[in-house]
């Protein structure tokens, strides 16, 4: 079903390329949500190079799986993935966050090919995903709707309205991906608003729920496969425990990682470390 | 009783003098489901619901959503006719609006209904970012606009026009009567962008029928001409000022009525042209707070255009309003025919 080229490249190599693109974009701005991008790169590699059906040269192809990024600040990560996928040209890396760029700091549908929705105001994505999943069913379109949301976004009540609605409408074409890195603006997510064991509460609402190490490529692949193949008429969620700044150890160790500080000389060092671990194709 | 704490506590309760009807009984709070119908007027049942059903015959893209208020927004008529195109989203306005955005993304034209307070206050961010920012063709149709229920501030959308007017891309419509609701429903379905429409439900008066009126989205229209006063009105206040104009005529006061059903985009050229004719007191009239609604929009438009004319506003006060019976409240807050008539006389 893969519609894109270079399908023989390993997922580990894809994740490396996504991290590298993200670091290059972070360097352009001298800052950014690089911690999230590095952390979620493996999940995005599986999304764009294993799970999703799309055409790189036709981002609005009716048969595509829809990938909705509610967390607008993760745009740097999604741009990095879409550049690797050939949806966006790598020549635009140097425009990230600049005036007139198609890649603004926060993801917006009107700016970027392949960006399905305008994220940023948290708690919107899953509800829009519910509507798109309903719409696809109306059209007998077998595509999936994926919504990538964050652990912090689980604090928004609207997310839980959507959680209930997806069950009510038996949306087996909806797959939520929660990037659980336990970091939000003011600190740990689990210290801000009571977070019960995630799988249990999603199951309690009636979802097919899985929790995986989001930086374990094989585990993520298996979870996506299981989510798509699950036979029951229920929505699916994959809770991905990820490590902020994954792949660049000296950044992983920083305490405040929601908006990670990277000194000018550190970008080259981060790239160097990443390149040393470059996987084979 | 000189207990200071008690008197302080008591002072929190507002004193009320409730009118007594002719048979000696106090009026009771109108139920939320009550229709806004003036006594003795012709009415048409559920004009929005029936118009939508009629539209849906030829428009397979039309779907309906509600947040547990289909019966109270006349959407139940559509739900009965097209059960497979109706989405009961439960008491969850945020996901209703977001899901409507998602359906619009997939090529459908969703009509989403709730009460005006819940759409404008609770779901604002979702309408703004999921729908308006992306200019999606979602039609948000809301009952209980302004002061059309006696339930108190929880259900009185006295601020919705101000809230919705501030939202870029959003077209805002406040129809007057059943005829106009029918026509406006069809017009907004054809409009390619998002729309917020205020709704009168149930048995809705037929007022504009006798004037041969035809709704045109974005256009203000003169319903009657007059040389002394120019009412610039929207929503059901056009009914009220038309009645007031008839009464004032008997006192030799000649009133024109310019009906402005589309609050945004405002038909500035018609409004400034009519007001600019001069020699008339311009009186805006709206079922909305004096803050941020039609009156302030018209006032600003006239000033920008350099039209310097005597200008007054009939509107609800900038306050949380009392609970009570609608006729009582409409008198109390100056939007009944009696009150409008008296107020205009006092200004001349």
């Amino acid at each position: 079903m893969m519609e894109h080229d270079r399908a023989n490249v390993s997922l580990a190599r894809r994740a490396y390329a996504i991290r590298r693109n993200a670091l290059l974009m972070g360097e352009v701005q001298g800052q950014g949500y690089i911690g999230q991008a590095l952390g979620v790169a493996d999940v995005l590699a599986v999304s764009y190079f294993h799970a999703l059906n799309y055409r790189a040269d036709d981002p609005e192809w009716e048969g595509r799986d829809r990938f909705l990024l509610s967390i607008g600040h993760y745009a740097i990560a999604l741009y990095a993935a879409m550049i690797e996928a050939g949806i966006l040209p790598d020549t635009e890396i140097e425009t990230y966050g600049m005036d007139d760029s198609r890649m603004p700091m926060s993801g917006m549908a009107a700016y970027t090919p392949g960006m399905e929705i305008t994220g940023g105001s948290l708690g919107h994505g899953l509800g829009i995903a519910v509507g798109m999943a309903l719409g696809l069913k109306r059209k007998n379109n077998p595509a999936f709707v994926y919504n990538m949301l964050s652990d912090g976004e689980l604090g928004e009540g609207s997310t839980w309205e959507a959680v209930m609605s997806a069950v009510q409408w038996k949306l087996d074409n909806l797959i939520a991906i929660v990037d659980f890195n336990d970091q939000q603006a003011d600190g740990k997510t689990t210290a801000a608003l009571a977070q019960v064991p995630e799988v249990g509460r999603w199951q309690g609402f009636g979802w097919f729920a899985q929790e995986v190490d989001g930086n374990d490529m094989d585990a993520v692949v298996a979870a996506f496969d299981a989510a798509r193949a699950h036979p029951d008429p229920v929505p699916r969620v994959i809770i991905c425990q990820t490590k902020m700044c994954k792949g660049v150890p000296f950044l992983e160790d920083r305490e405040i990682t929601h908006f990670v500080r990277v000194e000018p000389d550190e970008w080259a060092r981060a790239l160097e470390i990443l390149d040393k671990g470059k996987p084979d194709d | 009783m000189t207990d200071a704490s008690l008197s302080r506590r008591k002072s929190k309760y507002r004193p009320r003098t409730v009118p007594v009807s002719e048979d000696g009984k106090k009026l009771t709070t109108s139920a939320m489901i009550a229709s806004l119908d003036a006594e003795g007027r012709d009415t048409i049942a559920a004009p929005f619901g029936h118009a939508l059903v009629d539209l849906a015959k030829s428009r397979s893209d039309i779907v309906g959503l509600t947040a547990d208020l289909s019966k109270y927004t006349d959407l139940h008529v559509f739900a009965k006719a097209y059960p497979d195109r109706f989405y009961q989203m439960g008491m969850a306005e945020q996901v209703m609006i977001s899901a409507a955005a998602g359906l619009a993304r997939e090529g459908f034209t969703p009509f989403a209904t709730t009460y005006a307070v819940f759409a404008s206050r609770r779901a604002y961010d979702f309408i703004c970012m999921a729908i308006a920012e992306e200019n999606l063709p979602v039609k948000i149709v809301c009952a209980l606009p302004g002061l059309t229920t006696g339930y108190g501030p929880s259900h009185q959308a006295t601020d919705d026009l101000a809230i919705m007017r501030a939202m870029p891309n959003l077209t805002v419509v406040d129809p007057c009567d059943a005829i106009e609701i029918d026509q406006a429903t069809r017009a907004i379905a054809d409009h390619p962008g998002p729309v917020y429409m205020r709704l009168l439900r149930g048995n809705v008066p037929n007022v504009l029928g006798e004037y041969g009126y035809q709704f045109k989205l974005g256009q203000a229209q003169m319903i009657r001409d007059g040389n002394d006063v120019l009412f610039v009105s929207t929503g059901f206040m056009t009914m009220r000022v038309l009645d007031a104009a008839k009464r004032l005529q008997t006192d030799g006061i000649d009133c024109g009525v310019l009906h402005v059903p589309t609050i945004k985009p405002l038909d500035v050229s018609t409004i400034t042209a009519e007001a600019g004719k001069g020699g008339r007191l311009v009186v805006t009239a709206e079922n909305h707070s004096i803050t941020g609604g039609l009156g302030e929009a018209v006032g600003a438009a006239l000033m920008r255009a350099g039209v310097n004319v005597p200008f007054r506003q009939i509107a609800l006060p900038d306050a949380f309003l009392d609970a009570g019976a609608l006729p009582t409240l409409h008198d109390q807050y100056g939007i009944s025919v009696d009150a409008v008539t008296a107020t205009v006389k006092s200004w001349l």
Side-chain angles (χ1 to χ4, degrees):
Chain A
M1 292 295 281
M2 301 290 279
E3 297 281 343
H4 35 82
D5 301 332
R6 299 170 61 207
N8 58 334
V9 178
S10 75
L11 291 175
R13 180 61 177 265
R14 298 295 192 185
Y16 154 80
I18 291 168
R19 289 192 168 93
R20 194 166 208 288
N21 288 341
L23 279 173
L24 289 171
M25 282 187 277
E27 189 174 14
V28 169
Q29 281 291 319
Q31 58 180 11
Y33 296 96
I34 195 67
Q36 290 86 341
L38 293 170
V40 83
D42 301 307
V43 177
L44 284 173
V46 173
S47 300
Y48 275 81
F49 300 99
H50 176 74
L52 262 70
N53 215 357
Y54 61 92
R55 289 176 179 166
D57 60 353
D58 185 8
E60 295 177 24
W61 172 49
E62 175 68 7
R64 76 194 184 282
D65 290 327
R66 280 71 166 151
F67 189 92
L68 278 54
L69 186 73
S70 348
I71 26 184
H73 60 290
Y74 275 56
I76 186 172
L78 190 54
Y79 301 147
M82 291 201 294
I83 287 166
E84 176 62 8
I87 298 167
L88 297 172
D90 61 4
T91 50
E92 291 187 31
I93 283 179
E94 62 195 28
T95 73
Y96 169 66
M98 287 184 172
D99 290 351
D100 299 328
S101 174
R102 295 200 296 177
M103 303 194 302
M105 289 279 276
S106 187
M108 288 179 275
Y111 282 68
T112 317
M115 187 67 75
E116 297 272 1
I117 65 167
T118 294
S121 182
L122 301 183
H124 286 216
L126 197 58
I128 298 171
V130 164
M132 290 176 77
L134 287 170
L136 288 171
K137 283 183 177 289
R138 288 204 73 75
K139 294 189 283 188
N140 295 315
N141 182 328
F144 278 99
V145 181
Y146 292 83
N147 170 222
M148 176 172 273
L149 58 165
S150 66
D151 50 17
E153 210 173 356
L154 303 180
E156 298 285 358
S158 55
T159 297
W160 298 98
E161 290 187 7
V163 163
M164 290 186 281
S165 189
V167 173
Q168 189 72 33
W169 293 102
K170 302 181 169 57
L171 297 180
D172 51 9
N173 55 348
L174 172 57
I175 300 177
I177 307 160
V178 179
D179 181 31
F180 207 107
N181 55 28
D182 201 15
Q183 285 288 333
Q184 57 186 54
D186 269 355
K188 280 186 172 298
T189 307
T190 47
L193 197 55
Q195 305 276 336
V196 297
E198 281 302 318
V199 165
R201 74 166 162 180
W202 289 81
Q203 284 172 340
F205 277 107
W207 285 56
F208 172 60
Q210 306 173 79
E211 185 161 356
V212 295
D213 176 348
N215 296 121
D216 176 340
M217 197 70 80
D218 292 339
V220 176
V221 167
F224 271 75
D225 288 349
R228 285 182 301 171
H230 187 70
D232 297 342
V234 295
R236 298 102 211 275
V237 60
I238 306 168
I239 296 131
C240 301
Q241 300 282 355
T242 63
K243 187 161 183 54
M244 294 281 281
C245 298
K246 178 72 180 179
V248 182
F250 77 89
L251 293 177
E252 286 177 26
D253 295 340
R254 295 227 162 127
E255 197 176 341
I256 302 296
T257 47
H258 174 74
F259 196 84
V260 66
R261 264 206 89 71
V262 182
E263 300 306 324
D265 61 311
E266 290 180 326
W267 294 101
R269 200 176 138 214
L271 279 167
E272 196 180 315
I273 291 167
L274 194 70
D275 285 344
K276 269 187 193 158
K278 178 180 178 179
D280 296 330
D281 262 3
Chain B
M1 198 71 151
T2 54
D3 186 322
S5 67
L6 182 63
S7 68
R8 264 203 310 278
R9 190 158 61 88
K10 273 188 173 282
S11 73
K12 292 198 296 190
Y13 299 93
R14 59 188 82 189
R16 288 290 305 277
T17 316
V18 182
V20 174
S21 66
E22 283 172 15
D23 60 4
K25 288 180 183 163
K26 286 182 179 179
L27 299 176
T28 55
T29 298
S30 49
M32 279 187 286
I33 58 169
S35 304
L36 180 90
D37 52 355
E39 299 76 5
R41 251 198 239 281
D42 227 19
T43 61
I44 295 172
F48 164 66
H50 290 293
L52 199 60
V53 167
D54 192 38
L55 266 174
K57 284 178 196 159
S58 58
R59 292 269 307 259
S60 62
D61 58 309
I62 287 176
V63 294
L65 301 90
T66 193
D68 192 38
L69 287 171
S70 66
K71 287 180 202 161
Y72 308 114
T73 57
D74 289 343
L75 193 67
H76 66 299
V77 179
F78 175 86
K80 195 176 171 196
Y82 294 100
D84 63 319
R85 288 157 72 172
F86 169 70
Y87 295 97
Q88 172 56 264
M89 298 305 289
M91 210 181 292
E93 292 79 13
Q94 299 172 123
V95 75
M96 175 184 71
I97 290 295
S98 301
L103 280 157
R105 289 199 159 283
E106 293 299 335
F108 297 96
T109 302
F111 278 72
T113 74
T114 178
Y115 285 156
V117 278
F118 304 138
S120 59
R121 296 175 189 160
R122 191 187 294 264
Y124 181 86
D125 185 38
F126 298 82
I127 297 171
C128 194
M129 293 310 300
I131 293 172
E133 197 266 342
E134 302 191 41
N135 215 12
L136 295 172
V138 177
K139 320 301 169 184
I140 301 153
V141 180
C142 294
L144 300 189
L147 183 52
T148 50
T149 170
Y151 261 56
S154 66
H155 287 67
Q156 292 162 344
T158 54
D159 50 358
D160 64 329
L161 294 181
I163 291 168
M164 294 306 198
R165 267 185 69 217
M167 198 184 298
N169 287 352
L170 192 66
T171 292
V172 179
V173 181
D174 188 7
C176 166
D177 75 341
I179 299 285
E180 187 160 51
I181 286 168
D182 175 88
Q183 295 170 353
T185 300
R186 297 164 199 274
I188 65 173
D190 287 340
H191 177 67
V195 177
Y196 173 76
M197 186 166 91
R198 288 177 132 197
L199 179 68
L200 304 175
R201 61 148 310 264
N203 293 319
V204 182
N206 168 2
V207 174
L208 296 176
E210 67 177 278
Y211 296 91
Y213 175 85
Q214 175 65 46
F215 173 82
K216 294 193 184 77
L217 190 61
Q219 285 191 21
Q221 297 183 50
M222 288 299 292
I223 308 286
R224 62 171 277 166
D225 220 334
N227 294 320
D228 301 319
V229 172
L230 175 67
F231 284 113
V232 180
S233 59
T234 189
F236 81 70
M237 284 309 289
T238 294
M239 284 182 216
R240 296 285 158 86
V241 300
L242 283 169
D243 286 351
K246 285 176 187 166
R247 290 211 202 157
L248 289 162
Q249 194 77 58
T250 63
D251 291 327
I253 301 166
D254 194 19
C255 300
V257 175
L258 177 62
H259 177 48
V260 187
T262 309
I263 304 291
K264 186 180 180 179
L266 193 65
D267 185 355
V268 172
S269 61
T270 302
I271 292 167
T272 53
E274 284 298 331
K277 288 177 182 171
R280 295 189 285 192
L281 173 67
V282 173
V283 178
T284 60
E286 63 197 300
N287 167 34
H288 184 269
S289 159
I290 197 161
T291 301
L294 175 75
E296 290 192 347
V298 168
L302 295 180
M303 289 196 77
R304 286 190 202 107
V307 176
N308 189 4
V309 290
F311 176 82
R312 297 283 187 280
Q313 281 178 263
I314 289 172
L316 300 166
D318 179 12
F320 292 108
L321 307 185
D322 288 345
L326 271 188
T328 312
L329 296 173
H330 284 189
D331 275 335
Q332 181 180 335
Y333 293 117
I335 63 170
S336 66
V337 176
D338 286 349
V340 169
T341 306
T343 303
V344 170
K345 277 186 187 171
S346 76
W347 284 336
L348 291 172

